[in-house]
Amino acid sequence: MGGNLKGLTQKLGYLKRLGITALWVSPIFKQVRFQETYHGYGIQNFLEVEPHFGTQEDLKELVRVAHENGIYVILDIILNHAGNVFSYNLDRYWTQNEKGEWFLDPRWDNKPYLVKGWNDQTGYPTIPFFKANPQNPPDENGAVLPLELQDPSAFTQKGRINSWDYDPEFREGDFEDLKDIHHGYGSADEYQVSDALRHLCAAYQYWIAYADIDGFRIDTVKHMDIGATRYFVSVMHEFTQTLGKENFFLLGEITGGRKRACETLELTGLSAALGIDNIPDKLEYLVKGYRNPNDYFSLFRNSELVNKGSHIWFHNKVVTSFDDHDQVRRGKHKARFCADLGASKVVLNVLALNAMTLGIPCIYYGSEQCFDGQGDSDRYIREAMFGGEFGAFRTRGVHFFNEDNPVYRELAKVLEIR
């Protein structure tokens, strides 16, 4: 949409005056060149900032200015997969699309597929699919980087996930066309770590050291082995403690229900979980009058889930929100809180409830300006705040950093109390 790291740096005053103390930035690393991976989760180079967003120096400056203003910076990172960095040589599963055309569909069946080659910057598999030669590396805009990941053993190569709740399919399969990275194997206590996971750990250690990052939001934790997540958490904590960061924040996106989320927290050492079960649904519709308040507050009482004898309230183990950037819970019917008729009259209520009750409150950008995006894709809930081609309220060229908005002003008072 045209936004970049320098623009974000210029708007830190807006966040500070609102009362924000930590900033979660969606993925900013270099994407594959031949697709519009607007979401940021299709990484081609784990060691370079996406040029649309700026440079690594811009990232470093963003963190420096944020720290000057008392704001921590948390990066959204991906361990589970890379972008669409290679192409399968398909030999099974003919599928018919809506137009009646037949095509080969690389869906998971627990058997690896043959691979044509690493994709070049135009999307064609012209780069031979074998371990890269450091003395003669391929095009930096093709395949995957760092170079150590250009090894067939770094990927599971089993095709896309079709059943999102079948194990091991959801752990071994590709996330649509995003290629699944092989982390290792074994139980959590005896996990055998792959070289690929070690290289990813080194890449993310680099960004902590270089840019002074304060935490990571780890994408798609459900789709990773418990042992892999535990290893990453341990390595990051050991490393950050050597830098004097005693409380480096590791937030896991753990779907699949509250029980799975609680068990994952217990077994891996993650700081907190994001999106535990139906917190956004309960929070939104409590305020709109469709849910019993007890249904929301009971979500934080996890004694039975963690096998404790007494009540264990997860007040600091859950990041709570109501609007978010992909809204899995809504399927193909994406809609912000304010999309409902008249909901802007009570958006301050839900923001205050989120801020002043249990959990670590997360405000999705634009909620404080009553954004009301809706549609059949998550693109429609990612409106630009800064006057881009696709702005809030179906506008173009209008900015929405409006500090006179009564919701912004009143929320600032609430956050000051917190």
Side-chain angles (χ1 to χ4, degrees):
M1 306 250 274
N4 55 44
L5 292 168
K6 286 184 176 179
L8 178 54
T9 304
Q10 292 168 2
K11 296 301 181 184
L12 288 172
Y14 170 90
L15 298 179
K16 180 181 181 180
R17 289 185 289 276
L18 181 58
I20 299 302
T21 54
L23 175 64
W24 158 19
V25 186
S26 284
I28 58 164
F29 300 119
K30 186 180 174 186
Q31 304 289 289
V32 294
R33 296 294 88 189
F34 58 91
Q35 288 176 310
E36 288 189 10
T37 48
Y38 64 93
H39 44 66
Y41 295 97
I43 296 177
Q44 182 263 333
N45 188 342
F46 288 85
L47 288 175
E48 187 176 330
V49 170
E50 166 57 44
H52 286 96
F53 298 147
T55 65
Q56 64 179 32
E57 290 81 10
D58 294 336
L59 174 62
K60 194 173 193 176
E61 179 66 4
L62 165 65
V63 178
R64 185 190 69 79
V65 177
H67 287 174
E68 284 184 353
N69 286 277
I71 298 174
Y72 295 113
V73 178
I74 298 165
L75 289 187
D76 198 328
I77 67 161
I78 301 96
L79 291 168
N80 178 65
H81 53 261
N84 187 5
V85 295
F86 62 80
S87 294
Y88 289 115
N89 189 6
L90 300 176
D91 59 355
R92 55 192 187 272
Y93 295 129
W94 285 95
T95 302
Q96 196 171 20
N97 63 19
E98 295 176 353
K99 297 179 180 179
E101 300 167 333
W102 290 92
F103 64 97
L104 283 166
D105 177 17
R107 61 180 184 268
W108 186 94
D109 64 0
N110 205 26
K111 293 185 295 185
Y113 286 89
L114 298 174
V115 174
K116 290 181 180 179
W118 300 107
N119 291 334
D120 60 26
Q121 61 181 311
T122 63
Y124 290 96
T126 61
I127 302 171
F129 193 67
F130 49 69
K131 196 170 183 177
N133 179 0
Q135 304 303 318
N136 187 28
D139 184 354
E140 65 178 16
N141 291 315
V144 62
L145 292 168
L147 208 60
E148 289 84 353
L149 293 179
Q150 286 185 40
D151 184 336
S153 68
F155 295 86
T156 56
Q157 304 167 45
K158 289 191 174 182
R160 70 169 182 84
I161 299 169
N162 192 52
S163 174
W164 295 89
D165 293 309
Y166 179 68
D167 193 358
E169 181 173 350
F170 68 73
R171 287 186 295 108
E172 297 179 347
D174 297 341
F175 211 92
E176 302 296 344
D177 64 0
L178 306 175
K179 300 304 190 287
D180 187 70
I181 295 174
H182 174 59
H183 294 147
Y185 59 89
S187 66
D189 292 334
E190 299 178 357
Y191 197 72
Q192 302 299 305
V193 178
S194 72
D195 287 340
L197 181 53
R198 289 192 176 92
H199 296 317
L200 285 174
C201 287
Y204 287 122
Q205 286 173 332
Y206 165 76
W207 289 111
I208 297 169
Y210 173 80
D212 200 18
I213 300 300
D214 303 297
F216 290 146
R217 180 268 193 189
I218 307 170
D219 185 58
T220 53
V221 169
K222 171 187 173 180
H223 300 274
M224 294 165 51
D225 296 332
I226 291 292
T229 305
R230 177 190 284 183
Y231 177 79
F232 182 79
V233 169
S234 299
V235 169
M236 292 303 109
H237 278 153
E238 289 174 6
F239 178 72
T240 53
Q241 285 174 9
T242 67
L243 302 177
K245 291 179 179 288
E246 292 293 329
N247 294 306
F248 190 80
F249 191 63
L250 289 167
L251 168 63
E253 183 204 29
I254 312 168
T255 55
R258 292 172 62 237
K259 188 174 189 297
R260 181 182 184 87
C262 292
E263 289 174 349
T264 302
L265 287 179
E266 288 272 304
L267 291 171
T268 62
L270 285 166
S271 308
L274 174 76
I276 287 186
D277 204 31
N278 49 7
I279 280 177
D281 173 89
K282 296 281 192 288
L283 188 53
E284 174 174 353
Y285 290 110
L286 184 167
V287 170
K288 290 180 176 177
Y290 299 108
R291 300 284 185 272
N292 186 329
N294 186 58
D295 292 345
Y296 175 66
F297 291 105
S298 292
L299 293 173
F300 298 89
R301 188 168 56 235
N302 291 281
S303 52
E304 293 181 1
L305 295 177
V306 293
N307 300 312
K308 306 291 185 184
S310 59
H311 287 325
I312 303 296
W313 289 89
F314 277 10
H315 65 284
N316 63 348
K317 293 291 186 180
V318 185
V319 171
T320 57
S321 63
F322 54 94
D323 281 342
D324 66 76
H325 67 286
D326 56 17
Q327 290 192 342
V328 173
R329 67 188 170 104
R330 292 183 181 270
K332 289 292 185 180
H333 305 284
K334 314 294 185 185
R336 284 181 177 260
F337 181 93
C338 286
D340 285 356
L341 185 65
S344 60
K345 296 176 182 178
V346 291
V347 69
L348 181 61
N349 300 35
V350 73
L351 287 162
L353 181 67
N354 191 20
M356 300 302 280
T357 54
L358 291 169
I360 303 168
C362 176
I363 300 167
Y364 185 47
Y365 82 91
S367 295
E368 79 288 356
Q369 297 289 344
C370 306
F371 280 16
D372 65 352
Q374 60 180 319
D376 62 2
S377 164
D378 53 15
R379 289 174 181 265
Y380 297 108
I381 52 174
R382 296 172 184 238
E383 312 98 308
M385 289 190 71
F386 53 84
E389 285 293 300
F390 175 52
F393 313 109
R394 274 64 67 185
T395 65
R396 290 186 178 188
V398 181
H399 89 81
F400 293 98
F401 294 95
N402 178 16
E403 298 186 30
D404 291 326
N405 185 313
V407 175
Y408 177 96
R409 293 203 312 267
E410 294 303 311
L411 178 58
K413 297 174 185 176
V414 171
L415 293 180
E416 186 175 2
I417 294 170
R418 181 184 171 91

